[in-house]
Amino acid sequence: MNEITSKSNGLIKELKKLQQKKYRDQSQRYVIEGFHLVEEAVHTNQDLEHIFVNSRGLHEWQNWLHSQQLDYTFVSDAIFDTLTDAVTPQGILAVLHMKEIVVDLTQGKWLCLDQVQDPGNVGTMIRTADAAGFSGVILGKGTVDLFHPKVLRSMQGSHFHLPVIQQDLMEVCAQFEQANIPVYGTELNEQAVDYRQVVPTTHVALILGNEGQGVRLELLQRTTKNLYIPLFGKAESLNVGVAAGVLMYHFLEK
Amino acid sequence: MNEITSKSNGLIKELKKLQQKKYRDQSQRYVIEGFHLVEEAVHTNQDLEHIFVNSRGLHEWQNWLHSQQLDYTFVSDAIFDTLTDAVTPQGILAVLHMKEIVVDLTQGKWLCLDQVQDPGNVGTMIRTADAAGFSGVILGKGTVDLFHPKVLRSMQGSHFHLPVIQQDLMEVCAQFEQANIPVYGTELNEQAVDYRQVVPTTHVALILGNEGQGVRLELLQRTTKNLYIPLFGKAESLNVGVAAGVLMYHFLEK
């Protein structure tokens, strides 16, 4: 166990900056908070740089840290709190290096997110893609950063399980097209195809869009077909995370 | 247009208390915030007691308020903020009387929530039940209050569209049983029935449970069958709102 006692410690000051996307991108590192995520990072052999605990975390996870032969640093609550935005932190967090991810877009089931802005929605959709056994998730431009603390929280470690990449969706569409993989956009438009009429296929790409505006037009014009989920009541729309779940599970059904 | 200029105005002090469930229950009133909800309340003929606007709201919605012949009260931002927990309020809110709701549990499609604690999840599920054309939603004991500001926000007015009642789920199960309506619990248990094996029926009740613990055992023992949604990847579970969406839309499919 190491200990850092000063807020002005160089490492602490550096890591504090990781709450901003700019610095995460620069240093290719990010912070995960809470025992569940740290445990999952260890189990899935992520590239851990540091583990920090405060007094609560030391008390609760010291035995586990020793059993895993993990090195860690003890800091005061005040220092710990500068490293996390969690309202009630569990007292354990880790700094991870981002992994280089290579994906094969010529096969599989892919979820694409166009300008989805709510981090909770993005995290939930990645978690659902994981649950549904999808091959991976592609975050298009304008979609909230994968390493946003709230995305990490609602994702519950799913980015350790399946590849999540950030790439331009127009380019990705072209690649799917070349590989003969059907690409389905989603629309709040009864003129689009009722998703229940589409027979599930082994290889597929689904595009879900921004909470307010949906998938942008230039993308909708590039897809194989555009789908809608019929609304039978008086709600004006579905939550995008729910819509993604209904569609992904539909594409698994026999 | 009326105007209230003092925070110690008796009405303001009284309405401020509506942020607490106890006072909402006592006075059978609650507060909705934002133009979309107020508009939906007017369109669906809710029992509106008061509409409040601050300077921003006055500027933006005055014409609409006049066009609808609605009486409203202007208050300062400081007073307005005491009536809402919204971080960036839109400047319009309304106080509504709760409606007495009578439901017929001998037919239809019902969503039952057992001890679901996250208000965002509860609101999203009610919204999805509305979208899926369900007959109504039953909130069991331990489920967060329907009139919690965050439930109201994520529900987006769906409680104006379909009945949402608070009732003991054991009693409700007995009523469904008597009406020969199949009741399906949900479990994170591969021994339960894969939901895809259940043929949709016109009348059905689905029970979704607490985010951590799921549906409680005594309820699971009372159901017709218990269902699970298979997990194909490495995620440990689905978000309860997503699970509810997948199941409700399944029960609509032909």
Side-chain angles (χ1 to χ4, degrees):
Chain A
M1 183 182 97
N2 311 303
E3 187 167 351
I4 294 178
T5 53
S6 165
K7 268 193 193 180
S8 54
N9 175 287
L11 179 63
I12 296 297
K13 281 164 76 177
E14 195 189 318
L15 296 181
K16 195 177 156 180
K17 291 184 185 165
L18 297 181
Q19 287 177 34
Q20 294 170 60
K21 174 170 164 39
K22 185 172 80 175
Y23 291 104
R24 291 195 293 268
D25 288 347
Q26 259 176 30
S27 76
Q28 291 288 299
R29 293 182 295 180
Y30 66 104
V31 173
I32 54 171
E33 203 271 326
F35 179 69
H36 175 75
L37 278 183
V38 175
E39 186 188 32
E40 200 66 10
V42 171
H43 283 178
T44 56
N45 294 313
Q46 301 302 310
D47 190 358
L48 257 90
E49 186 184 278
H50 277 102
I51 295 177
F52 291 91
V53 290
N54 65 9
S55 54
R56 178 182 165 190
L58 186 67
H59 177 73
E60 285 195 46
W61 318 115
Q62 191 169 32
N63 288 342
W64 178 81
L65 288 161
H66 287 166
S67 73
Q68 301 289 320
Q69 301 182 296
L70 292 164
D71 197 25
Y72 59 94
T73 300
F74 172 75
V75 294
S76 67
D77 289 0
I79 296 180
F80 191 93
D81 290 348
T82 64
L83 301 178
T84 170
D85 76 332
V87 183
T88 50
Q90 291 183 7
I92 185 165
L93 62 80
V95 181
L96 306 191
H97 286 279
M98 295 178 189
K99 274 192 175 174
E100 187 135 355
I101 297 172
V102 181
V103 295
D104 173 11
L105 296 182
T106 66
Q107 56 180 338
K109 289 187 163 77
W110 296 89
L111 178 69
C112 307
L113 304 185
D114 178 43
Q115 306 180 86
V116 182
Q117 306 213 307
D118 180 83
N121 283 340
V122 170
T124 298
M125 287 192 274
I126 296 171
R127 179 178 166 200
T128 308
D130 179 11
F134 264 50
S135 309
V137 179
I138 303 163
L139 310 182
K141 277 179 199 158
T143 289
V144 69
D145 183 41
L146 176 65
F147 302 106
H148 186 296
K150 285 184 187 162
V151 174
L152 290 165
R153 216 169 296 146
S154 60
M155 194 159 53
Q156 299 197 358
S158 281
H159 70 304
F160 299 146
H161 305 153
L162 85 173
V164 182
I165 60 168
Q166 319 206 16
Q167 203 166 322
D168 182 90
L169 295 185
M170 292 296 278
E171 286 171 19
V172 163
C173 275
Q175 291 182 55
F176 286 134
E177 205 176 309
Q178 218 170 7
N180 284 317
I181 295 180
V183 178
Y184 300 114
T186 49
E187 277 191 274
L188 246 179
N189 173 0
E190 296 195 10
Q191 306 309 309
V193 180
D194 186 330
Y195 78 100
R196 299 170 301 173
Q197 290 167 10
V198 178
V199 178
T201 49
T202 309
H203 309 291
V204 70
L206 297 173
I207 311 177
L208 275 290
N210 177 274
E211 290 84 353
Q213 279 108 51
V215 179
R216 85 201 121 104
L217 196 60
E218 59 170 348
L219 265 172
L220 289 176
Q221 287 168 340
R222 268 221 76 126
T223 54
T224 313
K225 275 180 191 167
N226 294 317
L227 312 181
Y228 83 99
I229 301 178
L231 301 174
F232 299 93
K234 292 180 200 139
E236 287 168 19
S237 65
L238 282 169
N239 166 280
V240 65
V242 173
V246 168
L247 291 177
M248 284 192 270
Y249 269 85
H250 169 75
F251 275 91
L252 301 177
E253 299 201 16
K254 276 154 240 156
Chain B
M1 184 182 96
N2 311 301
E3 187 166 353
I4 294 178
T5 53
S6 164
K7 268 193 194 181
S8 55
N9 174 287
L11 178 64
I12 296 296
K13 281 165 79 177
E14 196 189 318
L15 297 180
K16 195 177 158 179
K17 290 185 186 165
L18 296 182
Q19 286 177 36
Q20 294 170 59
K21 174 169 164 44
K22 185 172 79 174
Y23 290 104
R24 290 195 294 268
D25 288 347
Q26 260 177 29
S27 76
Q28 291 289 298
R29 293 184 295 181
Y30 66 104
V31 173
I32 55 171
E33 203 271 327
F35 179 69
H36 175 76
L37 278 183
V38 175
E39 186 188 31
E40 199 66 11
V42 171
H43 283 179
T44 57
N45 294 312
Q46 301 302 310
D47 190 358
L48 256 89
E49 185 185 279
H50 277 101
I51 295 177
F52 290 92
V53 289
N54 65 10
S55 54
R56 178 182 165 190
L58 185 68
H59 178 73
E60 286 196 45
W61 318 115
Q62 191 170 32
N63 288 342
W64 177 80
L65 288 162
H66 288 167
S67 73
Q68 301 289 321
Q69 300 183 295
L70 291 165
D71 196 24
Y72 59 95
T73 300
F74 173 74
V75 294
S76 67
D77 290 359
I79 295 181
F80 191 91
D81 291 348
T82 64
L83 300 179
T84 169
D85 76 331
V87 183
T88 51
Q90 292 184 4
I92 186 165
L93 61 80
V95 181
L96 306 191
H97 286 280
M98 294 178 188
K99 273 194 175 172
E100 186 135 355
I101 298 172
V102 180
V103 295
D104 171 12
L105 297 182
T106 66
Q107 55 179 339
K109 289 187 163 75
W110 296 88
L111 177 70
C112 307
L113 304 185
D114 179 41
Q115 306 180 87
V116 181
Q117 306 214 305
D118 180 84
N121 283 339
V122 170
T124 298
M125 286 192 275
I126 296 171
R127 179 178 165 200
T128 308
D130 178 11
F134 265 50
S135 312
V137 180
I138 302 163
L139 310 181
K141 277 179 200 157
T143 289
V144 69
D145 182 42
L146 175 65
F147 302 106
H148 186 296
K150 286 184 185 160
V151 174
L152 290 165
R153 216 169 295 147
S154 60
M155 193 157 54
Q156 299 196 359
S158 281
H159 70 304
F160 299 146
H161 305 153
L162 84 174
V164 183
I165 60 169
Q166 318 206 19
Q167 202 166 321
D168 183 90
L169 294 185
M170 292 295 278
E171 286 170 20
V172 164
C173 275
Q175 291 181 57
F176 286 134
E177 204 175 310
Q178 218 169 5
N180 283 317
I181 295 180
V183 178
Y184 299 114
T186 49
E187 278 190 274
L188 246 179
N189 174 0
E190 296 195 9
Q191 305 310 307
V193 179
D194 186 330
Y195 78 99
R196 299 171 299 173
Q197 290 169 10
V198 178
V199 178
T201 49
T202 309
H203 309 290
V204 68
L206 296 174
I207 310 177
L208 275 289
N210 177 273
E211 289 85 353
Q213 278 108 52
V215 179
R216 83 201 121 104
L217 195 60
E218 60 170 348
L219 266 173
L220 290 176
Q221 288 168 341
R222 269 221 76 127
T223 54
T224 312
K225 274 181 192 166
N226 293 317
L227 312 182
Y228 84 99
I229 300 178
L231 301 173
F232 299 92
K234 290 180 200 136
E236 287 168 19
S237 64
L238 283 169
N239 165 280
V240 65
V242 173
V246 169
L247 291 177
M248 285 192 270
Y249 269 85
H250 170 75
F251 275 91
L252 301 178
E253 298 200 17
K254 278 153 240 158

